[in-house]
């Protein structure tokens, strides 16, 4: 059982929905980013998604693209991202960390080395948005064998024919992208999301977490009420990009977490 599996089991026992937060590793710099990540569990975050900065983030909107660029400009690398996770783990051995990014940096490092290093650093799961299920032998299956969850995205365009393929080797949870397009591009609507979540849950026992288009405590509550939880990324990254203090970012994250936990 991974930390992700354990977290969902604990939340289910408490009758609570999951609140997942995304931040870009190294944004605006390594030291501040580490402080922010360390503060997330205290703000009510159940699972941390840690963005791996990349030069060509095709699934991300301007907010997260800019965060990645700030991180790269400050010298953030795959290694320093793993170092950040390892540093976090010195104080917190229970909050799951999902590394979210693109395949190129992983491929460059070498899959076997990356998986060993990620496991040692305390990473629990991977979301690699540019590797389709047809490429599962490349990273997904080796990751599962190494004890890491491989989390797949489902979208409004994932039809009945495609869904079984998407779910086949997915573990940890299913990330449902509530809107078509890039991150931060539109607001999620519970009325649209609910039936889609039900459709996915009919095909898997995994928790379904909804992300994209959630930027207020009310939206977090509404979306979490029709799913197993929600993810907020762009809205938090925007606060960091505006130069808010760690305390201000934490307070904003806490308001979102409270919303999700009210669901």
């Amino acid at each position: 059982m991974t930390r992700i599996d354990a977290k969902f089991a604990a939340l289910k026992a408490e009758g609570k929905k999951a609140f997942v937060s995304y931040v870009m590793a190294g944004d605006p710099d390594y030291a501040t980013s580490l402080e922010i990540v360390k503060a997330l569990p205290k703000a009510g975050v159940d699972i941390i998604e840690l963005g791996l900065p990349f030069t060509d983030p095709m699934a991300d909107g301007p907010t997260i693209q800019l965060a990645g660029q700030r991180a790269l400009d400050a010298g953030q690398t795959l290694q320093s991202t793993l170092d950040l996770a390892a540093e976090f783990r010195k104080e917190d051995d229970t909050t799951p960390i999902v590394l979210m990014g693109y395949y190129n940096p992983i491929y460059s490092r070498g899959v076997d080395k990356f998986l060993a290093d990620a496991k040692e650093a305390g990473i629990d799961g991977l979301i690699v948005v540019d590797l389709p299920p047809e490429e599962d032998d490349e990273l997904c299956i080796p990751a599962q064998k190494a004890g890491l969850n491989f989390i797949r995205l489902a979208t409004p365009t994932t039809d009945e024919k495609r869904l079984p393929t998407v779910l086949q080797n997915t573990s940890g949870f299913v990330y449902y992208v509530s809107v078509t397009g890039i991150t931060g591009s539109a607001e999620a609507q519970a009325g649209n999301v609910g039936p889609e979540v039900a459709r996915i849950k009919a095909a898997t026992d995994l928790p379904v977490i909804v992300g994209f288009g959630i930027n207020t405590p009310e939206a977090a509550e509404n979306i979490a009420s029709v799913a197993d939880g929600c993810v907020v990324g762009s809205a938090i990254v925007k606060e960091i990009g505006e130069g808010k203090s760690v305390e201000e970012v934490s307070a904003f994250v806490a308001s979102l977490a409270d919303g999700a936990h009210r669901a």
Side-chain angles (χ1 to χ4, degrees):
M1 182 183 271
T2 66
R3 289 187 188 92
I4 296 170
D5 300 328
K7 176 59 72 175
F8 278 113
L11 287 166
K12 189 173 183 180
E14 294 174 46
K16 283 174 72 176
K17 301 300 179 78
F19 179 67
V20 184
S21 69
Y22 170 98
V23 292
M24 179 67 71
D27 176 34
D29 56 68
Y30 179 90
T32 308
S33 181
L34 178 58
E35 272 192 77
I36 290 168
V37 172
K38 283 182 175 180
L40 293 175
K42 301 181 190 79
V45 171
D46 298 302
I47 298 172
I48 297 167
E49 275 184 18
L50 194 58
L52 178 61
F54 182 53
T55 51
D56 187 24
M58 61 186 183
D60 294 310
T63 301
I64 289 176
Q65 283 191 25
L66 286 169
Q69 197 56 56
R70 286 193 298 270
L72 291 169
D73 289 346
Q76 192 72 10
T77 62
L78 172 53
Q79 183 57 53
S80 56
T81 300
L82 295 177
D83 292 345
L84 191 151
E87 198 62 35
F88 172 85
R89 281 279 169 247
K90 291 178 182 177
E91 296 178 13
D92 186 323
D93 195 42
T94 56
T95 305
I97 300 175
V98 175
L99 194 64
M100 184 171 186
Y102 298 83
Y103 185 48
N104 186 283
I106 295 168
Y107 177 79
S108 298
R109 192 181 190 90
V111 167
D112 291 343
K113 178 167 173 46
F114 165 75
L115 291 173
D117 293 346
K119 186 75 176 166
E120 189 179 345
I123 301 295
D124 303 290
L126 303 173
I127 299 175
V128 182
V129 296
D130 55 347
L131 271 184
E134 286 74 15
E135 306 295 334
D136 274 357
D137 288 340
E138 193 83 20
L139 180 63
C140 172
I141 290 167
Q144 311 262 34
K145 286 179 180 169
L148 296 169
N149 290 128
F150 199 90
I151 295 141
R152 190 83 68 194
L153 305 182
T155 74
T157 58
T158 307
D159 61 20
E160 297 302 323
K161 188 177 176 186
R162 182 66 175 166
L163 187 60
T165 306
V166 169
L167 295 175
Q168 188 173 4
N169 292 312
T170 300
S171 66
F173 60 92
V174 179
Y175 187 137
Y176 178 67
V177 176
S178 63
V179 294
T180 52
I182 53 174
T183 57
S185 58
E187 284 191 23
Q189 303 295 332
N192 299 331
V193 169
E196 290 296 303
V197 170
R199 180 169 72 91
I200 296 166
K201 288 181 77 67
T204 181
D205 293 331
L206 292 170
V208 179
I209 303 299
V210 178
F212 286 48
I214 303 165
N215 50 29
T216 65
E218 295 72 29
E221 181 177 2
N222 290 339
I223 296 299
S225 72
V226 296
D228 295 301
C230 68
V231 185
V232 179
S234 294
I236 297 169
V237 171
K238 184 168 177 280
E239 296 279 305
I240 297 168
E242 289 172 357
K244 301 283 179 68
S245 68
V246 174
E247 292 73 23
E248 287 171 317
V249 173
S250 297
F252 178 62
V253 171
S255 72
L256 296 164
D258 288 346
H261 291 148
R262 281 197 302 269

